[in-house]
Amino acid sequence: MSDTDESLRTLAQAQGIYLDFFDLHGARHETCPDTLRALLKALGTEADSPAQVTEALAAQTADARPTEVIAFAGDPITVPMPGTCDWSLVNEQGDIIGEGRGRGVIDLPRLGVGYYDLHITGTQSGRCFVMVRPHRAPDLASKAHIDACWGTTGALYGLRSATNGGLGNYRDLGAVAATFGRAGAEFLGVNPLHALGWAMEEIISPYSPSHRGMFNIDHIAVEGGLGPTPDAGLIDYAGFRERHRAALEAQFKTRDRDAFADWCETCSDETRQFAEFEAISETHGHDFRTWPVALQMPGAVARKAAGKRAEFHLWLQYLADTQIDAAQRDACASGMALGLYLDLAVGPRPDGAEVWINANTIARGVTIGAPPDHLSPEGQSWALAAHAPGPLARAHYAPLRSMLRRLMAKCGVLRIDHALGLLRSYWLPDDGNPGGYITQPLDALLAVITIEAHQAGCLVVGEDLGLVPDGFRQAMNDAGLYSYAVWQFEANHLGEILPADTLPPYSLACFGTHDTPTLSGFWHGTDIDWWQRVGWLSSGDRAARHSQRAKQRASLRDVCAIPSAAQIGDIVDIIHGGLAQSPAALVSVQMDDVFGELEAQNLPGTINEHPNWRRRLSLPIDAMEQSAALLHISDVMSNARGAPAHQDETDHPKEVPA
């Protein structure tokens, strides 16, 4: 290795770039020099020449003055400071709550949960961002005064109703939550509700948002409805959006101006900027990077270009915001202790509003992805933008704080997709070089998450699947974040699925997710057949995978005592019973499994090869409450987890003859 390459590696390591990583099978992958240069550039450091590398290494000399402090609420806080300085501490409201003079250290008063600015004048004047976090995020005991519960997860877009016209909406969300709440469920989880973008008509994946802090207008329930859901099993998004948007335009003309005006008094500048982005996109297209240069950032010019049309898009956010609130109220009124369980996607699209609004914190020239793993044998490129650690810290994590605050205000549980991104992110350079891992500021990100969760009274689940480094789960659990245990992935070194009593107690446990086959699909190997259909497996590979699945089925039969002659309905019941009896604090059953669906909602790594995000549930929502399937899952869960205090025999869903 040359001295130049060694200096490049030293610089990359100093800036948090992994020099190598081990894959799912234990094979070591070294990060090549071209990838190191691309990732350094994404972090804001040019390293194309030896001179640039030398200059960047020299600039690595640390400033002796801290720029960030993390402390626990109520604990003494001592900030080391070179020399003598005067200081003042300002809270989020702009009030000075402490001041003094420090010699070598600054002793701050004991503080409550929140964010503070420490202003320093002296030898090294500046500001220090102080994050005071709770010891733990809220948990079931503190939030709901229970030790264990169950809930369901499903695809909002796939709900059938008498009025939604083809795509599940926020009114349907409240109705289904109330139905499951009366059956004893304590939460209802759905796909991310992030805004996809008015002008980006091709995007249907809820995990490819334009902005994660704004809401999807496709799910707005319009006045008078759009008629019943079509019979077709797959959603026609283009046809639905044409009808739905025409109805929204008509409703805007007769809007409740007073209620909208009251809401506007409380909405953030970021929400207004999002509305301006949406208005401009109607003229210049979904990708702001192709807009006239003067419009490629928020500001007066963009505001003028958006014009009066921005009010329409602001009004859409008002409708989505208030309808989600109504759904949460319906969920809690039914007896749910937690209500809605929302999902935070990994990142936004590079062409969307979140990047446009937060350009100063976005890593350029890279997108987020994942190396090959059990979800996708080819690896994944998610085509999502990443916030760069350094710029995000200098912005005092404002994009993350505002996003979490907005989402947590709407739900009782928030799931952070790919929580490993709190520790490290896999970035793929746009220039085609292999990907590599970037260190993330775990302690600071956990501080922001726990502060926001504390203030909102919201539980947090970290989806910690994949290549999990030692100590990560413990750090997450210590901060009060629940792990995410997918039973079909909990296996020994032989690939045999472990008993349910080995599932982590401090977790949300489920058998499958939107990214895995349904329980019935798992049993029959439909995912393996799809992998061959899209060209990932040869005939021989397919046979080997089915052989491995047979071993998994055999291990489930063993640990769950499933009779050899059991039919799929009985097998599903027994597996759900095992989940219910597990030590996991929260247990989730997929709505697709409750109502007997076979095909999965998503096949990771595909876009059009599989009908991702298009499948509808077979049973309409107005038939759920009286269905034998709901009665049965309620009994299975309640028998093992205990009936909630809000449920008794008089409000138990009744089975009716077919």
Side-chain angles (χ1 to χ4, degrees), residues 150-327:
W150 72 278
T152 188
T153 53
L156 175 57
Y157 54 83
L159 295 178
R160 295 178 180 271
S161 75
T163 60
N164 71 31
L167 199 77
N169 60 39
Y170 298 129
R171 190 172 296 146
D172 298 335
L173 177 61
V176 172
T179 295
F180 272 84
R182 288 188 289 271
E186 301 290 9
F187 60 85
L188 167 63
V190 290
N191 46 274
L193 303 182
H194 309 316
L196 300 183
W198 180 274
M200 189 50 163
E201 297 178 356
E202 294 82 6
I203 289 292
I204 63 173
S205 169
Y207 290 92
S208 296
S210 173
H211 196 303
R212 293 173 294 167
M214 307 300 152
F215 296 115
N216 190 338
I217 60 97
D218 287 340
H219 298 305
I220 293 172
V222 297
E223 290 179 354
L226 294 173
T229 307
D231 291 336
L234 297 180
I235 296 166
D236 171 15
Y237 278 89
F240 169 80
R241 283 172 173 165
E242 183 177 0
R243 297 188 307 275
H244 183 245
R245 292 182 177 190
L248 289 172
E249 297 275 12
Q251 187 175 329
F252 179 64
K253 297 174 182 177
T254 60
R255 64 191 179 280
D256 184 335
R257 295 177 183 270
D258 290 339
F260 177 45
D262 289 343
W263 180 86
C264 287
E265 289 292 324
T266 66
C267 80
S268 66
D269 290 342
E270 190 172 12
T271 306
R272 294 181 185 278
Q273 290 173 342
F274 173 78
E276 292 163 7
F277 178 97
E278 291 286 83
I280 296 170
S281 74
E282 291 193 60
T283 301
H284 295 287
H286 70 273
D287 189 344
F288 76 90
R289 298 168 297 184
T290 66
W291 295 356
V293 173
L295 299 180
Q296 291 183 13
M297 65 190 74
V301 177
R303 191 172 305 114
K304 182 177 180 181
K308 292 185 178 179
R309 184 61 172 173
E311 183 180 1
F312 172 69
H313 291 286
L314 192 61
W315 175 76
L316 293 179
Q317 287 303 299
Y318 154 72
L319 286 184
D321 186 272
T322 53
Q323 289 187 8
I324 297 169
D325 283 344

Side-chain angles (χ1 to χ4, degrees), residues 339-365:
L340 299 182
Y341 160 36
L342 300 185
D343 207 350
L344 173 63
V346 175
R349 295 196 315 273
D351 58 12
E354 187 175 333
V355 174
W356 183 72
I357 293 169
N358 299 294
N360 291 337
T361 65
I362 297 294
R364 298 296 182 177

